[in-house]
Every structure is written in C-alpha cells, then in structure tokens.
Amino acid sequence: MTAPETMMRRIADPAARPDPYPLYEELRRTPVARQDDGVYTVSTYWEIRSLLNDPRVSSQTRPPLVPTPSGARSMLRLDPAEHDRVRRIVTRPFGPPHTPRRVFEMRRGMADTVRGLLDAFADKDQADIVDDFAYPFPISVICRLFGVPVEDEPRFHLWTESLLGAADFGAEHKPDPHLLDPDAAKIEMGGYLAELFDKHRKDPGDDMFSALAVDDGPDGRLTPPEQVATGFLLLIAGHETTVNLITNGVLTLLRHPQELKRLKDDPDLAVPMIEELLRYEPPVQYLPNRRTMDAVEVAGTVIPKDTDVNLMLAAGNRDPRRFPDADRFVPDRGDVEHLGFGNGVHYCFGAPLARLETRIALTEFARRVKGPELVADPPPYRVNPVLRGPRHLPVAYRGVRS
Ligand code: HEM
C-alpha cells in the first residue's frame, strides 16, 4: 500500500483523472491524514461535513488560487461576518428574498438555447458534447444573467482557462502553450471586468452586474474592487462547474443506457438523478482552500492550529459508511445528501441555476438524440484535478427527434 503522504500528488497526476475513485478509497482508510508537506486531507463524509460547518476552519486565511489584481477577496475566500455581508449583497439580484423569480424566469430562454444546440446535431452523426452542447449552453446563460456581452466569451474563456490551468495543485504537467501567462490573464480580466462594471454603472440593464454596480440594499454596495473580485468568482464558478456536470451527466448516462432510457420515458427522473450525479461524479472534487484557526479534533485526530486542510468532497460522496453501494450510480436512491455543492456558509450560491440548466440539458438530450453511443471511453480529461471533467466527449448517434 502506498503511504498516504504521496496521495495528493497521485490524485493530481493527470493519469488519475479518468478514474480517481480507487485513490479516494485508499485515502478514506485514513479519514484524517497528514501529507508530507504538512497539509491534512479529510476524506470521509461526516468528518468533511463537520469541518465545512466548523467556524474554526477558515476560508480566508489562505491565498486565493486565483488572486484578483486589487487583492480584494470574493465571498469564497472570506469568513463570516464579512462573507455574509458580501453574499447578501450578491444574492439581492439573484434569489430570494429580493429576487425570488430570477432563475425560474430564465427557464424558457434556457430551453430555447438547448433546442437550438440540439437542432444543430441533426446535420451530422457525431458531436462533441463539450464543445457543441455542455459548454455553449451555460455560457450563454451566464452572459445573459450577468450582463456580459456574449461576443466577449472567447476572451474570458481564455482568461479563466489560463488562470485555472496555472493553479498549482501539485500536478506535474507542462503548461498548455495556447494559454496566457497567468499574471497577464489576471490583469487583462481584471481590467475587462472593471470596465464592464463602469459601463453598467453609467447605463444599467436588468442583469446582475448592473444591479451590483448601482443597487443600494440594506448592506450598501460592494466597492469597485469587490465588484471585480465577485465578477472573477461568478464567471469562473458559473461556467466551468456546470459544463462538467452536464458532460459528466451525459457520460454517466451513456455508460448506463438503461438509465438513459428511463430518463427519456420519465423526464421527472431528472430531479433525483442530478442529485445522484452530484454525488457520483461531482464537478468540484475537493476544496483545497481551508486552514485551521485553532487546533481541531476530528475522528480522533488533532489537526494543529494554522494547518492547511483539503476537504475531499468526492471521497466523502463515495463513503460506504454514509451511502450503501456508494460506487454504484443509483438515480433514484432516496437518501442522497451529497457534498457536491459543499455545505455550511459557503454552500454553492449558484445551485438552483446549475440544477435547472442540467435538468433541461439532460432531459432534452435523452428525449431528442437517437441511439447515442460513446466514441471513446474514457474520454480525454482536462488537467485540473479540482474542477474535474472531460475535455471532449465525442458521441455518435442516429439522428435527432424534433
Ligand atoms: C454543477 C455546478 C456547480 C457546482 C458543482 C458547484 C459547486 C460549488 C461548491 C462545492 C462550492 C463550495 C466552495 C467552498 O465551500 O469553498 C460552491 C460555492 C460557490 N458557487 Fe458553485 N457550483 C456550481 C455552479 C455554480 C454556478 C452556476 C454559480 C454562479 C451562478 C456558482 C457560484 C458559486 C459561488 C459564488 C460560490 C461561493 C459561495 C460562498 O462562498 O458563499 N456555482 N460551488
């Protein structure tokens, strides 16, 4: 057996990307493990949940993986009460209590976008689910929601890929030559967002970034650097993750054709199926961004004060002491309180949007695409071990229903 101290490096190795789950199983044998670099990994369900809700475990004390030019932090890297203030302000134009219908009212536009993307499948007999479906759909949704011109998408796609590709997860991989230098990407994207917020301040629309630029609620307004930091977070969190959930969903359904057929016959199955997908193939595999502010005892181990902690969500989601038959995809397992959206104060802000987008994408895919089959299994994966998902997913089919 390999000693636990080499585990994070093995998980970060791109060769592990198609199937990291045996490594997570190995990791769970030591639920709270100290790595050779002093970082602790926590890999079992209840221990992860407990730390996600423990105020002694901070999200603020580690440098951001993707620092913004001004140094302002997004809510993801703030602790209460600062976190709660920023989250309340950003929630005002997104959800209840101030804007309860925002996501719901986007459903028709979403369905139209998905219809258009699947109509284009009719001209061919093979498609790349990432480039032709799972990527363009959430991008068009967040552009509309945030007030980002859709024609600017290639620019922020390059910036976010360059920032995420450069994040140091301990993987020994060569940087992709097509990507920008991360410092250049950070400065360009920061400048772009500052200009965009300025534009919305002068001429506000009914989008979220305009509301953040001009609206004054009970908590006041974000400062311009905070607006830019929020823009970074929302653009990155709002697309990479949903692309991966939709792609992982199509991949999982094609590996379980009987479940694909069930979804085609009963679209309501999508609701529990998406929760099971978030458990079985979570787009955020772990959270490498916590630090103890005090000594914390968990599962009989004391994690010392000022220690970095990696919370291994995908390992906790397959913990057999929490979920029976944890390695099996069971779309209608009743008890599926997964960690795919995190837990506690940082619980995913965009969860209602991600759920709706994925429901529309998977039910329409199941209903319309005839006889889909994987062209390559496993497909090629992105390098990133945290935001894990296929880089391409070629699928062959025999036509498209109207
Ligand atoms: C399937 C898609 C998604 C997954 C799996 C996902 C997952 C997560 C996870 C695990 C966290 C917790 C991070 C932590 O505790 O450090 C989180 C937080 C967050 N997510 Fe998502 N996310 C998704 C989609 C979205 C979307 C569409 C948006 C934006 C509209 C979004 C915005 C955020 C924000 C702003 C936070 C930080 C919340 C806070 O710090 O209070 N996410 N997400």
Side-chain angles (χ1 to χ4, degrees):
M1 188 187 104
T2 311
E5 55 265 28
T6 64
M7 284 301 284
M8 283 316 294
R9 234 167 277 134
R10 289 171 64 199
I11 289 166
D13 182 343
R17 211 65 72 248
D19 185 13
Y21 297 100
L23 294 174
Y24 295 143
E25 185 185 349
E26 212 174 310
L27 203 55
R28 278 193 307 268
R29 287 181 208 149
T30 315
V32 183
R34 186 182 184 281
Q35 308 292 319
D36 57 352
D37 56 1
V39 174
Y40 277 65
T41 51
V42 180
S43 53
T44 43
Y45 181 88
W46 292 114
E47 285 65 34
I48 295 170
R49 263 193 90 157
S50 151
L51 294 189
L52 281 170
N53 288 278
D54 192 324
R56 296 169 299 175
V57 180
S58 166
S59 290
Q60 187 160 338
T61 42
R62 284 186 80 178
L65 272 179
V66 177
T68 54
S70 71
R73 284 171 175 263
S74 72
M75 66 179 105
L76 186 69
R77 291 300 173 94
L78 288 170
D79 291 334
E82 219 13 38
H83 163 272
D84 304 354
R85 175 187 69 86
V86 173
R87 183 154 174 154
R88 273 195 308 273
I89 293 174
V90 183
T91 301
R92 260 175 78 81
F94 182 67
H98 195 66
T99 322
R101 295 187 187 83
R102 169 80 85 175
V103 172
F104 180 73
E105 284 175 349
M106 294 180 76
R107 70 198 187 290
R108 289 222 172 77
M110 288 185 193
D112 288 346
T113 305
V114 165
R115 189 173 313 118
L117 291 169
L118 289 177
D119 284 349
F121 277 36
D123 304 335
K124 37 192 187 176
D125 53 16
Q126 189 169 319
D128 178 359
I129 295 302
V130 178
D131 288 351
D132 300 334
F133 189 56
Y135 185 77
F137 171 41
I139 282 296
S140 79
V141 172
I142 60 166
C143 283
R144 222 172 307 147
L145 173 65
F146 298 156
V148 176
V150 81
E151 59 275 16
D152 291 346
E153 179 280 322
R155 299 171 71 197
F156 72 74
H157 182 51
L158 180 63
W159 295 323
T160 56
E161 291 255 300
S162 303
L163 290 168
L164 292 172
D168 179 14
F169 298 105
E172 284 168 24
H173 66 270
K174 289 193 206 76
D176 183 331
H178 304 293
L179 299 182
L180 298 176
D181 168 70
D183 285 330
K186 186 173 73 182
I187 288 166
E188 282 183 28
M189 187 166 168
Y192 171 83
L193 284 169
E195 244 174 62
L196 187 64
F197 277 105
D198 253 357
K199 218 170 92 213
H200 286 319
R201 209 166 291 125
K202 290 180 193 132
D203 182 19
D206 65 355
D207 54 86
M208 268 183 78
F209 284 6
S210 290
L212 293 177
V214 298
D215 184 23
D216 278 311
D219 291 284
R221 203 184 290 176
L222 298 179
T223 63
E226 285 175 334
Q227 290 170 8
V228 169
T230 300
F232 265 85
L233 172 64
L234 289 175
L235 279 179
I236 294 175
H239 80 279
E240 290 289 336
T241 48
T242 314
V243 178
N244 289 339
L245 185 60
I246 295 172
T247 310
N248 291 345
V250 172
L251 175 62
T252 303
L253 287 170
L254 294 181
R255 284 173 173 167
H256 298 82
Q258 71 289 0
E259 302 301 342
L260 179 65
K261 181 169 183 323
R262 284 180 69 204
L263 180 62
K264 175 172 166 282
D265 297 342
D266 176 12
D268 289 346
L269 183 62
V271 173
M273 181 178 273
I274 288 163
E275 301 311 305
E276 174 68 347
L277 269 175
L278 283 156
R279 183 194 72 80
Y280 181 76
E281 285 279 33
V284 179
Q285 294 265 298
Y286 57 93
L287 299 175
N289 59 358
R290 298 297 204 271
R291 180 178 285 166
T292 52
M293 296 192 291
D294 211 336
V296 177
E297 181 175 347
V298 59
T301 300
V302 176
I303 308 178
K305 187 178 174 196
D306 293 330
T307 301
D308 291 345
V309 181
N310 289 349
L311 299 173
M312 309 302 291
L313 304 180
N317 274 348
R318 300 255 190 141
D319 183 347
R321 281 173 299 177
R322 175 62 185 85
F323 297 110
D325 234 351
D327 282 326
R328 219 155 64 80
F329 177 61
V330 185
D332 41 8
R333 71 168 70 229
D335 167 23
V336 62
E337 212 179 341
H338 58 78
L339 302 170
F341 285 133
N343 205 246
V345 296
H346 295 282
Y347 182 83
C348 178
F349 172 92
L353 181 69
R355 284 187 169 114
L356 181 60
E357 289 177 287
T358 309
R359 178 149 64 86
I360 292 173
L362 294 186
T363 50
E364 282 300 282
F365 178 87
R367 186 179 73 76
R368 293 192 60 192
V369 181
K370 291 189 206 162
E373 277 176 23
L374 290 172
V375 172
D377 193 5
Y381 272 77
R382 295 177 195 278
V383 170
N384 194 318
V386 174
L387 302 181
R388 169 179 169 267
R391 175 65 199 90
H392 296 289
L393 186 64
V395 167
Y397 49 88
R398 294 192 296 273
V400 179
R401 292 179 195 87
S402 54

